[in-house]
Amino acid sequence: MLKTALSSLSPVELRQLIRRGEYTDQTSGLAPGYTQANLVILPKKLAYDFLLFTQRNPKPCPILEVSDVGSRKLHRFATDIDLANDFPKYRIYRHGVLDQEVTSVEPYWRDDLVSFIIGCSFSFESELITAGIEVRQITEGVNVPMYNTNIALDPAGRFHGNMVVSMRPIPEEQVVTAVKVTAAMPRVHGAPIQIGDPAKIGISDLAHPDYGDAVTIKPGEVPVFWPCGVTPQNVIMQTKPDFVITHSPGHMLVTDVKNVSLKYQ
């Protein structure tokens, strides 16, 4: 199905398509106006430490919802949902190493697993577009570029590491507008963490992102960096827990909640 046709689907219709395995690509630009979310699933014995880690690092890890132990459902952000099947692609980490990338984690589900649904910057992209700001990866039909940084996070329990950021090139004259638009949505990462100086946060090569795809940066545009929900995956690779499931970068859960309901929260 063409991306233009996909973008007209409701969140429920899109999740059902994904659940059937009929769409496995990245989700930027889909279900515009609806909140998208990152995922971390880990055993209950690690859940408190991870929850504390997210509370100490709310910019890259803004929690939207936490599941009941062993449950594949949510209470607030979606009703017709199966957390084991409704992300287009998942990653399975064992001892901090990426072991598999799959379109369903149903065969790996356990009764002790807790799911953390984390805000995603894809959610504010429709707000940027409404403000007249082009979102380059949507225009070019690719995944958003994401980069590891030198920004140290506040540790909690066994979890520690550095922030990951997403980047969007913004015309210089629109940077202030982009900051204002995204600052109004802190539950999906909020305002940028850095503007125009990638070296300052440890990024040396914008053409080769650590996750996602490179995008064109045109003359007169500034690279703008937002905290990113892929941060937990970088943390997992550094702290090496036995077993963790995440989404594949850019392959998000599309929820039933409108972005406007998250403004100023």
Side-chain angles (χ1 to χ4, degrees):
M1 187 180 291
L2 294 174
K3 204 79 180 274
T4 50
L6 283 167
S7 64
S8 66
L9 296 180
S10 70
V12 171
E13 291 170 331
L14 184 59
R15 290 198 303 273
Q16 290 174 344
L17 193 72
I18 292 167
R19 193 179 306 165
R20 295 194 299 268
E22 296 175 22
Y23 184 78
T24 60
D25 205 350
Q26 56 94 12
T27 55
S28 177
L30 299 184
Y34 287 90
T35 301
Q36 296 198 29
N38 302 278
L39 176 71
V40 174
I41 304 174
L42 36 67
K44 180 183 177 181
K45 65 182 181 180
L46 297 175
Y48 176 77
D49 280 359
F50 186 74
L51 181 61
L52 186 60
F53 178 80
T54 65
Q55 289 184 327
R56 290 179 179 173
N57 300 280
K59 284 186 172 292
C61 304
I63 292 294
L64 298 177
E65 188 166 346
V66 181
S67 76
D68 294 332
V69 179
S71 175
R72 287 156 51 175
K73 304 296 183 184
L74 294 174
H75 293 283
R76 183 187 169 207
F77 274 79
T79 50
D80 179 0
I81 187 167
D82 179 357
L83 292 174
N85 290 294
D86 288 1
F87 285 75
K89 202 173 289 182
Y90 300 81
R91 286 185 166 184
I92 298 174
Y93 289 89
R94 299 183 190 275
H95 305 284
V97 177
L98 176 58
D99 182 58
Q100 290 176 274
E101 198 165 46
V102 297
T103 56
S104 169
V105 293
E106 187 167 358
Y108 309 96
W109 199 265
R110 298 171 8 188
D111 290 340
D112 67 331
L113 295 179
V114 180
S115 299
F116 291 81
I117 306 302
I118 298 171
C120 172
S121 61
F122 285 0
S123 301
F124 61 56
E125 290 178 342
S126 62
E127 300 293 309
L128 290 174
I129 293 170
T130 298
I133 299 173
E134 179 193 1
V135 177
R136 187 62 40 77
Q137 86 267 7
I138 294 179
T139 302
E140 296 186 348
V142 297
N143 201 352
V144 67
M146 294 162 274
Y147 305 86
N148 295 328
T149 74
N150 60 10
I151 303 171
L153 300 166
D154 290 332
R158 67 179 298 171
F159 294 102
H160 60 84
N162 289 1
M163 188 183 298
V164 175
V165 295
S166 62
M167 188 278 291
R168 293 160 185 81
I170 306 292
E172 290 182 14
E173 67 275 12
Q174 292 185 310
V175 168
V176 172
T177 300
V179 171
K180 289 180 179 178
V181 167
T182 57
M185 303 181 71
R187 295 193 70 190
V188 290
H189 302 304
I193 197 80
Q194 214 288 321
I195 298 170
D197 190 359
K200 190 170 183 179
I201 56 174
I203 301 171
S204 59
D205 187 0
L206 292 178
H208 295 89
D210 296 290
Y211 319 87
D213 303 305
V215 296
T216 305
I217 302 178
K218 299 177 181 179
E221 293 182 336
V222 176
V224 180
F225 302 91
W226 280 267
C228 179
V230 174
T231 295
Q233 297 187 39
N234 189 34
V235 168
I236 287 160
M237 287 186 279
Q238 294 182 58
T239 56
K240 306 183 188 309
D242 293 348
F243 177 76
V244 180
I245 298 170
T246 73
H247 68 294
S248 183
H251 298 68
M252 306 299 178
L253 177 72
V254 179
T255 78
D256 297 337
V257 173
K258 289 281 188 79
N259 292 325
V260 293
S261 69
L262 300 183
K263 283 190 174 182
Y264 307 108
Q265 287 192 25

